């Protein structure tokens, strides 16, 4: 009962929302989500816009695009080869197939490839929002994660580098697979969603082997949604793990047999130190993306040991691990985000030797989602618990986003061409043999500056005495200078370091021709043709060498084969005109020299007139 003199206080129950009002709220939220997401996508497009004007570089773009025979014709034979053969030490058929489709439309116009890459990055950004929204059902966390992912400068390497298309491709299928797995969990385990998740995972791992990290992510999703461990949860993962292990081992084997592994030898203990350091280094670059580089060299040992900070890194990682485990008492978000980051990047932390660099920015592309998710969670929690700080926190986020946007916009210009790319690397790491070699190639091949090219190749060999590419390229400069003995010495050294080195063997064969050692030249071409059975260039040079030996009919057969394989090479028509002239087929020889001219090959006027007169008579 109420005491005398007091009034009873009534509390009004909140009005229940009718179904119509609920639908209106959901509709308003969807509209708001798409408005914010659209704004993020526009900003992302703006910051990556400079990439659309970039050219191709001499770092893998030549291998995957300009000199890739598998993408020249979009026919059944090439498609079969794409899906059945190892190319450049990797089995990633969807990656190569995407180039074949683009080549059909764009040929070698860089703008087409870069436009596709930017569009694919926008698609990945949308999927990031969808994934985090499906995971948390919290649009603020999803939008912040998506914003940081879309505009981060560490992703420029994956987007602006044409040859790194595989990051974008595998991420699309990876995230789509994870989204369908969440649907599978939320729909009370409808099998159709699990099947869709598996099929998308298969497409992801056929794009890049790094997709093999998806099965551990599925386990993290089980933990996040508190699924009980059972025979069913184990059995449903077996196809995912089987595919990941099978193609993962295939990728490791092909990489080890084709030289796509680290050239630097470290003990297992040292690799554990490096892996811990790299984990922290990626986090540091994600927080403060400064001094970015396309190439991060391995550290030099100090008195036979790694620098001191490598020995500190495991203790920092262990401390962070303890904090992450303790966070499970309050939330699963930190554990999931950190677990996603580690699961997706652990294979490229150099615990297992991969590539010539200690770390690569492209490796952080998909893993960064987990890190940005944790950051977004902390921001949301801070605002939720202390609404008064909402304005300053969002202001700080806006300022940080501006910093990231400007950095990304400027970073895209670094990938404009090979010269800007390698000069940027050398400004930070002047002793990187790979960068010196690649810049030297630009000086020599593209600019015709043999002196600067030679200087870079000499420095490359000085800093990395066992780097075969620099010897092969220096040999080409010696050859162009007419110093054939020095050229052959360098080619020999390159082949000694890498016995099946294609470029060194081809160029040594050409040099043998120039020094009238024809039999040795043919031996080099024969060796390469065992494994390069459809290489038009090899048939052209062997045909030319056979012609010089007077074996015109054999030479003609090789030159015909070369033209069949590559009918747009003017030099081959010129070489065949020599052979046909020797066979006294003057009209055919004259037609070939005309075709060589039509294809842009420079022909000596006297030779042209000789063939013209012979054909006329």
């Amino acid at each position: 009962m109420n005491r005398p003199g007091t009034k009873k206080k009534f509390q009004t129950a909140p009005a229940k929302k009718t179904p119509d009002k609920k639908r209106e709220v959901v509709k308003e939220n969807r509209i708001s989500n798409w408005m914010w997401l659209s704004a993020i996508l526009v900003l992302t497009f703006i910051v990556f816009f400079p990439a659309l004007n970039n050219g191709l570089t001499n770092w893998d773009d030549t291998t995957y695009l300009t000199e890739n025979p598998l993408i020249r014709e979009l026919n059944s034979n090439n498609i079969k080869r794409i899906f059945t053969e190892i190319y450049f030490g990797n089995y990633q058929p969807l990656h190569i197939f995407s180039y074949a489709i683009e080549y059909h439309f764009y040929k070698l116009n860089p703008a087409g490839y870069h436009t596709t890459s930017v569009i694919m990055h926008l698609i990945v950004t949308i999927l990031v929002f969808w994934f985090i929204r499906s995971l948390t059902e919290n649009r603020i966390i999803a939008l912040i994660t998506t914003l940081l992912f879309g505009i981060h400068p560490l992703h420029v390497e994956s987007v602006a580098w044409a040859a790194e298309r595989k990051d974008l491709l595998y991420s699309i299928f990876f995230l789509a697979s994870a989204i369908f797995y969440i649907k599978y969990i939320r729909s009370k385990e409808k099998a159709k969603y699990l099947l869709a998740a598996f099929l998308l995972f298969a497409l992801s791992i056929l794009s890049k082997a790094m997709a093999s990290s998806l099965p551990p992510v599925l386990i993290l999703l089980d933990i996040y949604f508190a699924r009980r461990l059972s025979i069913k949860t184990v059995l449903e993962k077996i196809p995912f793990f089987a595919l990941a292990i099978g193609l993962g081992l295939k990728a490791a084997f092909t990489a080890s047999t084709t030289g796509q592994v680290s050239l630097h030898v470290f003990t297992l203990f040292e690799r554990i130190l490096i892996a811990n350091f790299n984990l922290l280094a990626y986090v540091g670059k994600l927080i403060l993306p400064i001094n970015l580089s396309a190439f991060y060299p391995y550290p030099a040992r100090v008195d036979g040991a790694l620098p001191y900070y490598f020995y500190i890194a495991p203790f920092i990682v262990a401390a962070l691990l303890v904090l992450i485990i303790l966070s499970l008492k309050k939330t699963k978000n930190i554990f999931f985000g950190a677990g996603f980051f580690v699961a997706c990047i652990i294979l490229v932390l150099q615990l297992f030797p991969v590539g010539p660099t200690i770390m690569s920015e492209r490796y952080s592309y998909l893993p960064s989602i987990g890190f940005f998710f944790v950051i977004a969670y902390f921001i949301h929690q801070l605002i939720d618990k202390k609404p008064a700080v909402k304005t300053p926190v969002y202001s700080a986020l806006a300022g940080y986003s501006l910093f990231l946007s400007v950095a990304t916009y400027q970073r895209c210009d670094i990938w404009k061409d090979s010269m800007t790319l390698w000069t940027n690397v050398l400004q930070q790491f002047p002793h990187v043999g790979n960068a010196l070699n690649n810049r030297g190639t630009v000086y020599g091949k593209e600019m015709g500056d043999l002196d600067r090219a030679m200087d870079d190749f000499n420095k490359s060999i000085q800093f990395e005495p066992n780097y075969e590419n620099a010897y092969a390229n220096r040999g080409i400069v010696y050859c162009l200078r007419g110093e054939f003995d020095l050229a052959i010495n360098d080619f020999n050294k390159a082949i000694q370091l890498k016995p099946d080195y294609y470029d060194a063997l081809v160029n040594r064969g050409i040099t043998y021709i120039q020094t009238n050692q024809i039999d040795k030249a043919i031996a080099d071409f024969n060796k390469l043709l065992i494994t390069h059975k459809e290489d038009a260039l090899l048939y052209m040079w062997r045909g030319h060498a056979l012609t010089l030996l007077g074996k015109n009919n054999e030479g003609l057969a090789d030159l015909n084969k070369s033209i069949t394989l590559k009918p747009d090479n003017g030099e081959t028509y010129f070489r065949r005109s020599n052979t046909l002239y020797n066979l006294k087929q003057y009209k055919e020889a004259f037609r070939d020299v005309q075709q060589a001219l039509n294809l842009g090959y420079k022909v000596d006027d006297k030779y042209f007139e000789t063939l013209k007169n012979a054909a006329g008579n």
Side-chain angles (χ1 to χ4, degrees), residues 559-575:
L559 291 162
N560 288 340
K561 175 75 171 176
S562 179
I563 288 173
T564 300
L565 292 169
K566 190 174 175 55
D568 59 349
N569 185 2
E571 185 174 4
T572 313
Y573 287 96
F574 173 76
R575 300 292 177 195

Side-chain angles (χ1 to χ4, degrees), residues 95-357:
H95 175 219
I96 305 297
F97 184 59
S98 73
Y99 291 139
I101 295 173
E102 286 180 287
Y103 186 86
H104 179 74
F105 293 102
Y106 308 138
K107 300 307 177 187
L108 290 176
N109 182 1
Y113 298 92
H114 291 309
T115 300
T116 302
S117 291
V118 171
I119 291 172
M120 290 178 72
H121 178 58
L122 294 175
I123 293 171
V124 177
T125 304
I126 293 171
L127 289 171
V128 169
F129 174 79
W130 192 358
F131 172 60
I132 301 299
R133 187 78 173 84
S134 301
L135 182 72
T136 64
E137 297 185 327
N138 185 304
R139 74 189 189 100
I140 301 300
I141 294 176
L143 287 168
I144 294 174
T145 304
T146 305
L147 171 66
L148 296 176
F149 177 86
I151 64 175
H152 205 281
L154 223 60
H155 296 162
V156 171
E157 184 166 294
S158 296
V159 181
W161 184 13
E164 203 48 40
R165 164 72 51 72
K166 48 187 175 283
D167 279 343
L168 308 170
L169 199 58
Y170 102 88
S171 296
I172 288 174
F173 295 123
F174 187 108
L175 290 171
S177 177
I179 290 166
F180 270 99
Y181 189 76
I182 293 173
K183 278 182 174 287
Y184 168 69
I185 295 173
R186 290 191 182 278
S187 68
K188 297 182 180 179
E189 303 177 1
K190 289 184 178 178
K192 64 180 182 180
Y193 293 126
L194 183 64
L195 177 61
F198 178 75
L199 293 176
L200 287 163
F201 169 57
L203 294 175
S204 183
I205 204 167
L206 289 173
S207 302
K208 187 173 184 178
M210 273 185 75
S212 58
S213 58
L214 180 67
V217 170
L218 300 185
I219 294 174
L220 288 172
L221 287 170
D222 284 349
I223 295 171
Y224 188 86
F225 286 104
R227 294 185 75 202
R228 292 179 59 186
L229 179 63
S230 65
I231 294 176
K232 181 180 180 180
T233 58
V234 172
L235 291 177
E236 69 190 18
K237 308 282 190 315
I238 289 177
F240 290 88
F241 276 98
L243 187 59
I245 293 170
L247 288 183
L249 290 174
K250 183 181 181 70
F253 174 76
T254 55
S256 65
T257 57
T258 52
Q260 303 297 312
V261 296
S262 173
L263 302 176
H264 301 265
V265 179
F266 293 93
T267 65
L268 177 60
F269 175 66
E270 288 175 324
R271 289 205 170 275
I272 292 172
L273 297 179
I274 289 170
N276 280 273
F277 172 80
N278 279 349
L279 191 65
L280 298 176
Y282 281 115
V283 170
K285 291 289 184 183
L286 287 169
I287 296 171
L288 190 61
I290 58 174
N291 299 326
L292 301 184
S293 174
F295 197 102
Y296 293 89
Y298 277 83
R301 287 185 174 87
V302 180
D303 296 327
L306 291 170
Y308 70 92
Y309 43 83
F310 282 87
Y311 297 87
I312 298 173
F315 295 100
I316 299 175
V317 170
L320 290 173
L321 178 61
V322 171
L323 292 176
I324 289 166
I325 293 172
L326 291 175
S327 73
L328 282 169
K329 294 179 180 179
K330 294 185 177 181
T331 178
K332 294 178 181 177
N333 289 305
I334 298 171
F335 179 83
F336 177 81
F340 184 98
F341 177 74
V342 174
C344 292
I345 207 169
I346 191 168
L347 293 176
V348 289
L349 290 177
Q350 299 303 347
L351 188 59
F352 311 101
V354 181
T357 62

Side-chain angles (χ1 to χ4, degrees), residues 281-529:
Y282 281 115
V283 170
K285 291 289 184 183
L286 287 169
I287 296 171
L288 190 61
I290 58 174
N291 299 326
L292 301 184
S293 174
F295 197 102
Y296 293 89
Y298 277 83
R301 287 185 174 87
V302 180
D303 296 327
L306 291 170
Y308 70 92
Y309 43 83
F310 282 87
Y311 297 87
I312 298 173
F315 295 100
I316 299 175
V317 170
L320 290 173
L321 178 61
V322 171
L323 292 176
I324 289 166
I325 293 172
L326 291 175
S327 73
L328 282 169
K329 294 179 180 179
K330 294 185 177 181
T331 178
K332 294 178 181 177
N333 289 305
I334 298 171
F335 179 83
F336 177 81
F340 184 98
F341 177 74
V342 174
C344 292
I345 207 169
I346 191 168
L347 293 176
V348 289
L349 290 177
Q350 299 303 347
L351 188 59
F352 311 101
V354 181
T357 62
I358 189 172
M359 63 179 290
S360 297
E361 292 165 13
R362 61 187 179 276
Y363 293 152
S364 71
Y365 186 74
L366 185 72
S368 67
I369 297 169
F371 178 78
F372 295 141
F373 170 64
V374 173
I375 298 298
Y377 168 74
F378 276 123
I379 292 173
H380 179 263
Q381 285 295 101
L382 181 60
I383 292 170
D384 191 49
K385 292 180 179 179
K386 298 182 179 180
V389 303
K390 182 176 181 179
T391 300
V393 167
Y394 278 146
S395 298
L397 178 61
Y400 183 59
S401 299
L402 178 62
F403 161 69
L404 295 180
S405 299
V406 172
T408 297
Y409 191 91
Q410 294 175 338
R411 185 74 189 157
C412 285
D413 284 334
I414 298 299
W415 285 86
K416 181 179 180 182
D417 55 41
S418 302
M419 182 58 72
T420 57
L421 179 67
W422 298 116
T423 298
N424 177 260
V425 172
L426 291 168
Q427 285 171 348
Q428 301 176 73
F429 307 108
H431 296 166
V432 173
N434 189 299
L436 285 162
N437 172 73
N438 290 347
R439 190 177 69 174
T441 303
V442 178
Y443 280 132
K445 189 174 181 179
E446 297 179 22
M447 301 173 64
D449 191 336
L450 298 184
D451 291 337
R452 286 188 178 183
M454 179 63 79
D455 185 52
D456 273 355
F457 295 143
N458 285 337
K459 288 179 181 177
S460 179
I461 291 169
Q462 175 188 345
F463 299 132
E464 293 190 32
N466 293 324
Y467 184 40
E468 69 276 4
N469 288 10
Y471 285 103
N473 287 324
R474 190 174 69 174
I476 293 172
V477 175
Y478 279 134
C479 195
L480 292 172
R481 287 179 168 180
E483 301 175 83
F484 299 119
D485 289 342
L486 292 174
I488 291 172
N489 287 339
D490 269 357
F491 294 139
N492 288 341
K493 178 65 176 179
I495 294 165
Q496 178 188 340
L497 292 167
K498 186 178 179 182
D500 61 346
Y501 189 6
Y502 177 92
D503 288 346
L505 283 163
V506 169
N507 285 298
R508 186 175 71 175
I510 295 171
T511 309
Y512 280 144
I513 290 175
Q514 292 173 303
T515 54
N516 203 31
Q517 301 178 66
I518 311 300
D519 288 333
K520 289 184 178 180
I522 292 174
D524 277 348
F525 301 140
N526 285 342
K527 179 179 179 180
L528 287 171
L529 280 166

